[in-house]
Amino acid sequence: MRNLMMPILCALFLFLSGMLIINWQLWHMATLSYTQTAAASTQKIDNILAEAVSAANTAKHVAAQGCTRDGQLELGTEAALKPHLRAVMIQQQGQIICTSLPGNGVLIVRPQTLPNETLMLLPGNRLVNGIPVLIFQMPIADGRVIVSVSDAHLRDVIASATNSADMALVVGERMLARTGDVRDWKAASWAGALTASAHFPFSVVWQPPAFFSLTRLLQQGWSLILLILALSVTVGFLIRRYKGKSSSFEDDLRKAILHGEIVPYYQPIVNGDTGGLYGVEVLARWKHPKSGFIPPDVFIPIAERSGLIIPLTKGLMAKVVNQLKPLLPKLPDGFHIGVNISARHINAPSFIGDCRVFGKGFQGKEVKLVLEVTEREPLIDNPHLVENLNTLHNAGFVIALDDFGTGYSGLSCLNALAIDYIKIDKSFVNRVSEEKDSTILLDCVIDLAKKLSLRIVAEGVETREQLEYLNRNEITLLQGYYFGKPVSYIDFIKVILSKPRETMSL
Ligand code: G
Ligand code: G
Ligand code: MN
């Protein structure tokens, strides 16, 4: 279940992010399209009002001639031929003197009381037929021309503009919605943007679409949704597979530890003075039933990351006890048995107990158990770690600082930790050749160790020159292919049988 959590969360995150982006894109496009349609509607209403202006000019002309029969006919023709207009009226000295309707009829209730505004929306209750109109007015000598524009055409413009967003025509304080009623514009509290006409005092307003709309997403973005869904599932699947692979290596390692496939190899550490065996370093090898030997560089980092290094080292310690105990009579007193320890293990609560069990395995025997602590990881950062190592040092364990010269801790580590040995990293010893200056670095490292009164083991000795150099510098404890590679238990027994017994102590 824990393995599934991560891929599911990643896929979900990807899918939701995709949805959000598609939604944002569609919302943005909708907003853009509403702004454009609002501008187009404003243009159409401008055109309708241009008819009203033309009719008003005709009426002005008719009024100047005193509203004759011909003049009235002219008004009627004007209203009849201009498709969007309903009626044209001339008011002079407070009276309607002429209209486009037969018999100078008037549709507006008390037209004399209309305020003097160029444009206004009249609600249905101000009209004889109860249908709202838009009024356009033009002042003339002694009065005004009143032109009414049919609401049906205005509503058509608003309603046909868009099928999803709400739009309305706003004039002064009132608005005409596409449902056809005239309302108070402020009270309707539309949050949308206003698109104002450049020629007449009106605006078209639109209600912005909801930012998130499932219907919009499903209607307009379904193909993208399917694509993102497929992508998210694929990514989740790939993460699961990748994780499955690395965790299956971990599982394999866990099983290998349980089945005892991690075995100790032994590399001799010799005393350069006598040529005798001084001790061994234990090096883990994975004897895989199918893949053969897997080198520690491959599985130790994974063991350290997963915490498996703890059971791995414990298992190795137990094997070392079982294998070396019967050999002790053949080994010199004070024989050194070095085990590599990772910082992860030193920090674990079981560490001191694990080492004590290892120590008890050799109880009553004259051996020195060496804990090789690598300098590659920062040691000093954790006081708990230093304390644990010092406790074990006091209990008789030997502490060796491995890979000396390559790591973090340097001198500060030497002060805080009770260290018995340093193991000079093979990279320094490897440099030593017949060439001039090849020993400069190693000279410094040896000088430093001597000044700090630390015992030295040289690692990675491969050639006679290197051995001679180390002899000249009085480095007597030596390890490397020159003396012997790490070997299996059986091969190690053969090494012992071929060497004279030699006694040495710290
Ligand atoms: O054995 P080799 O010889 O290839 O070792 C490679 C690296 O693996 C070395 O850095 C060595 O310190 C590390 N190593 C080998 N065995 C162990 C072990 O048992 N525990 C830990 N922590 N490191 C090990
Ligand atoms: O990091 P640590 O010192 O624990 O690891 C020892 C590593 O050095 C092991 O991988 C071991 O096989 C390797 N080793 C030991 N002796 C020699 C040597 O003479 N030459 C080289 N190249 N490697 C060596
Ligand atoms: Mn080591």
Side-chain angles (χ1 to χ4, degrees):
M1 189 59 212
R2 235 184 91 232
N3 276 351
L4 272 180
M5 203 65 175
M6 165 95 156
I8 288 178
L9 283 180
C10 284
L12 204 66
F13 175 76
L14 209 67
F15 181 71
L16 290 179
S17 310
M19 284 306 93
L20 206 71
I21 292 170
I22 298 175
N23 177 65
W24 182 84
Q25 181 70 29
L26 289 177
W27 175 81
H28 186 70
M29 275 161 54
T31 310
L32 205 71
S33 127
Y34 294 151
T35 314
Q36 282 167 356
T37 30
S41 303
T42 309
Q43 183 72 51
K44 281 183 192 161
I45 296 173
D46 274 346
N47 293 342
I48 292 176
L49 285 172
E51 283 181 9
V53 173
S54 152
N57 280 328
T58 308
K60 194 176 177 181
H61 175 70
V62 169
Q65 299 189 349
C67 190
T68 57
R69 251 193 104 231
D70 283 352
Q72 209 244 330
L73 196 66
E74 211 176 328
L75 279 191
T77 314
E78 192 76 17
L81 294 183
K82 297 252 168 15
H84 302 105
L85 305 186
R86 193 178 280 171
V88 184
M89 287 164 270
I90 300 169
Q91 179 190 330
Q92 272 180 325
Q93 291 169 338
Q95 297 297 318
I96 299 295
I97 58 152
C98 200
T99 83
S100 62
L101 297 170
N104 277 339
V106 177
L107 280 179
I108 299 168
V109 179
R110 286 175 286 111
Q112 302 85 343
T113 59
L114 289 179
N116 274 329
E117 277 161 20
T118 311
L119 218 55
M120 75 188 92
L121 275 167
L122 279 195
N125 60 10
R126 286 299 305 271
L127 285 118
V128 178
N129 58 1
I131 299 173
V133 284
L134 174 67
I135 297 288
F136 170 78
Q137 299 190 105
M138 182 190 271
I140 53 169
D142 250 356
R144 59 183 167 181
V145 175
I146 305 169
V147 182
S148 58
V149 179
S150 157
D151 72 312
H153 296 295
L154 297 170
R155 281 195 284 125
D156 276 354
V157 170
I158 293 165
S160 66
T162 164
N163 50 15
S164 57
D166 248 346
M167 282 215 179
L169 166 67
V170 174
V171 182
E173 308 259 285
R174 293 179 182 148
M175 71 182 217
L176 175 72
R178 67 171 155 177
T179 43
D181 51 330
V182 171
R183 280 185 277 160
D184 186 12
W185 141 243
K186 291 253 162 57
S189 66
W190 277 27
L194 285 163
T195 306
S197 157
H199 309 287
F200 299 96
F202 76 89
S203 305
V204 168
V205 66
W206 51 275
Q207 191 72 300
F211 175 69
F212 184 81
S213 158
L214 197 62
T215 351
R216 185 179 55 214
L217 260 177
L218 292 177
Q219 274 174 1
Q220 295 170 36
W222 64 270
S223 54
L224 276 175
I225 292 177
L226 282 186
L227 187 74
I228 288 189
L229 189 68
L231 212 74
S232 310
V233 169
T234 311
V235 167
F237 184 72
L238 287 178
I239 293 176
R240 162 118 181 85
R241 249 186 53 175
Y242 172 77
K243 272 201 54 134
K245 252 196 193 133
S246 71
S247 75
S248 80
F249 188 85
E250 226 177 276
D251 286 345
D252 285 354
L253 183 58
R254 185 173 287 116
K255 280 182 207 138
I257 295 168
L258 273 176
H259 298 157
E261 287 171 19
I262 313 292
V263 296
Y265 263 49
Y266 301 94
Q267 187 177 30
I269 299 171
V270 301
N271 184 334
D273 280 347
T274 62
L277 197 60
Y278 178 79
V280 281
E281 174 173 1
V282 174
L283 291 155
R285 295 288 182 268
W286 181 352
K287 221 170 148 181
H288 196 280
K290 283 188 203 137
S291 321
F293 277 100
I294 300 176
D297 307 320
V298 175
F299 65 87
I300 293 288
I302 289 167
E304 284 176 338
R305 223 178 304 136
S306 60
L308 286 173
I309 192 70
I310 298 168
L312 186 152
T313 309
K314 272 168 71 174
L316 217 53
M317 284 171 166
K319 278 205 168 77
V320 169
V321 169
N322 286 338
Q323 294 183 344
L324 294 191
K325 219 168 160 183
L327 300 183
L328 288 179
K330 293 286 294 171
L331 293 171
D333 285 341
F335 188 73
H336 280 57
I337 301 169
V339 180
N340 291 290
I341 306 286
S342 299
R344 173 94 189 237
H345 193 180
I346 308 174
N347 275 321
S350 71
F351 178 61
I352 292 187
D354 294 344
C355 290
R356 289 223 157 104
V357 170
F358 184 41
K360 278 211 182 92
F362 290 105
Q363 213 163 30
K365 310 287 177 189
E366 266 290 313
V367 287
K368 289 279 181 192
L369 299 181
V370 185
L371 304 177
E372 293 196 10
V373 184
T374 182
E375 220 210 357
R376 285 177 311 236
E377 300 160 74
L379 295 174
I380 196 76
D381 291 357
N382 192 334
H384 180 60
L385 185 146
V386 173
E387 200 182 295
N388 273 355
L389 285 175
N390 287 348
T391 305
L392 287 168
H393 182 259
N394 293 337
F397 284 84
V398 177
I399 310 292
L401 193 57
D402 210 354
D403 312 307
F404 185 76
T406 61
Y408 294 84
S409 40
L411 297 174
S412 53
C413 183
L414 299 176
N415 271 332
L417 263 179
I419 289 167
D420 301 293
Y421 284 88
I422 56 158
K423 295 188 78 174
I424 295 178
D425 191 66
K426 52 184 174 291
S427 60
F428 297 106
V429 178
N430 274 347
R431 268 175 226 250
V432 177
S433 64
E434 273 172 67
E435 274 173 45
K436 217 173 127 263
D437 296 343
S438 67
T439 64
I440 289 180
L441 272 178
L442 190 51
D443 289 341
C444 294
V445 176
I446 292 174
D447 194 39
L448 177 67
K450 282 185 176 163
K451 286 203 169 108
L452 292 167
S453 310
L454 291 165
R455 285 176 158 241
I456 303 172
V457 177
E459 284 187 314
V461 184
E462 290 182 356
T463 65
R464 175 148 282 280
E465 288 112 60
Q466 290 164 358
L467 176 61
E468 281 166 3
Y469 166 88
L470 292 163
N471 281 340
R472 278 201 303 281
N473 283 276
E474 293 162 341
I475 311 294
T476 49
L477 300 180
L478 309 163
Q479 180 181 352
Y481 294 171
Y482 186 81
F483 304 101
K485 288 193 169 182
V487 289
S488 68
Y489 177 55
I490 301 294
D491 290 340
F492 180 61
I493 294 175
K494 290 178 192 159
V495 172
I496 293 170
L497 294 177
S498 70
K499 297 243 175 215
R501 188 174 186 275
E502 193 226 16
T503 311
M504 243 198 124
S505 58
L506 245 175

